């Protein structure tokens, strides 16, 4: 017990955290980051000394970055590091397809946003207006998909056949706080 200090928050992330795996050199962790209908394998660099992430609600930016291993609209789980820490193996699940065991390079660098341009202004509304598409669901015959989008306060269900354009089949305007989920294609 004398070797252990007080607990300290390393990071804050959207979704949840599961199946934490230390890299062979113990300087990074890989973990599952499930987010409802999809999930990622995330990698976090453990800072030397004290964490540089401020406590929640402090309004300060976290200097340590989280990176993702081959993020797609699927559910990735069960991360395992290679012996030298250069790759991560994991299981990818896509509804209607057999599970796939994949190995991808471990993210090696921190992503930083591009610099702002003169005259750019940031509005929270602009961030919310960016469309978010949720995991597509394929039909039983594999010839069409349906997926949910969320754009600002509008939610919609979209449908697309192989070789054709996507079309919006249902749209709800205004945020009533109720989310769409479990879309299926007959």
């Amino acid at each position: 017990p004398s070797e252990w200090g007080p607990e300290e928050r390393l990071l804050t992330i959207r979704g949840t955290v599961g199946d934490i795996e230390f890299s062979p050199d113990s300087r990074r962790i890989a973990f599952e980051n499930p987010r409802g209908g999809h999930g990622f394998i995330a990698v976090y660099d453990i800072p030397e000394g004290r964490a540089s992430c401020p406590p929640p609600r402090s309004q300060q930016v976290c200097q340590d970055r989280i990176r993702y291993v081959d993020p797609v609209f699927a559910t990735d789980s069960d991360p395992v590091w290679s012996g030298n820490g250069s790759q991560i193996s994991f299981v990818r699940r896509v509804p209607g397809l057999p599970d796939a065991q994949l190995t991808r390079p471990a993210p090696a660098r921190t992503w930083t946003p591009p610099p702002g341009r003169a005259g750019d202004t940031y509005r929270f509304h602009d961030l919310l207006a960016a469309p978010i598409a949720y995991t597509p669901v394929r039909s039983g015959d594999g010839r069409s998909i349906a997926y949910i989008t969320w754009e600002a306060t509008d939610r919609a269900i979209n449908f697309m056949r192989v070789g054709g354009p996507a079309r919006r089949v249902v749209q709800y305007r205004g945020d009533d706080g109720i989310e769409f989920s479990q879309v299926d294609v007959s």
Side-chain angles (χ1 to χ4, degrees):
S2 62
E3 296 177 27
W4 294 90
E7 71 277 358
E8 183 177 323
R9 181 183 298 264
L10 286 178
L11 60 103
T12 300
I13 190 170
R14 186 175 174 195
T16 59
V17 171
D19 198 4
I20 299 170
E21 297 290 330
F22 280 89
S23 65
D25 64 5
S26 296
R27 292 182 172 184
R28 297 176 289 170
I29 55 173
F31 56 91
E32 296 174 0
N33 182 219
R35 297 183 181 188
H38 63 286
F40 307 115
I41 299 299
V43 173
Y44 176 75
D45 291 327
I46 299 171
E48 299 288 330
R50 288 194 51 82
S52 59
C53 289
R57 300 186 194 103
S58 72
Q59 304 299 318
Q60 294 176 348
V61 176
C62 178
Q63 297 304 312
D64 294 311
R65 302 278 191 230
I66 298 166
R67 296 167 318 258
Y68 298 93
V69 180
D70 194 30
V72 297
F73 285 111
T75 301
D76 295 342
S77 62
D78 307 312
V80 177
W81 290 92
S82 64
N84 64 5
S86 66
Q87 296 183 321
I88 298 176
S89 293
F90 56 95
V91 175
R92 174 160 290 159
R93 291 177 178 86
V94 176
L97 298 176
D99 291 353
Q101 179 75 35
L102 303 175
T103 300
R104 298 289 189 260
R109 68 174 185 83
T110 298
W111 178 85
T112 55
R117 293 177 286 196
D120 278 356
T121 58
Y122 169 81
R123 296 181 314 158
F124 189 67
H125 177 73
D126 295 334
L127 177 64
L128 291 177
I132 299 171
Y134 292 89
T135 306
V137 176
R138 72 182 184 102
S139 62
D141 65 3
R143 302 203 36 82
S144 58
I145 62 170
Y147 58 96
I148 297 170
T149 57
W150 182 14
E151 301 173 36
T153 60
D154 296 346
R155 290 171 179 77
I157 298 174
N158 303 278
F159 176 80
M160 185 171 79
R161 292 192 192 280
V162 171
R167 62 184 170 96
R168 186 159 284 169
V169 294
V170 176
Q171 182 170 10
Y172 289 96
R173 296 192 181 278
D175 186 358
D176 59 4
I178 298 174
E179 300 236 4
F180 288 148
S181 64
Q182 300 177 341
V183 172
D184 206 355
V185 183
S186 63

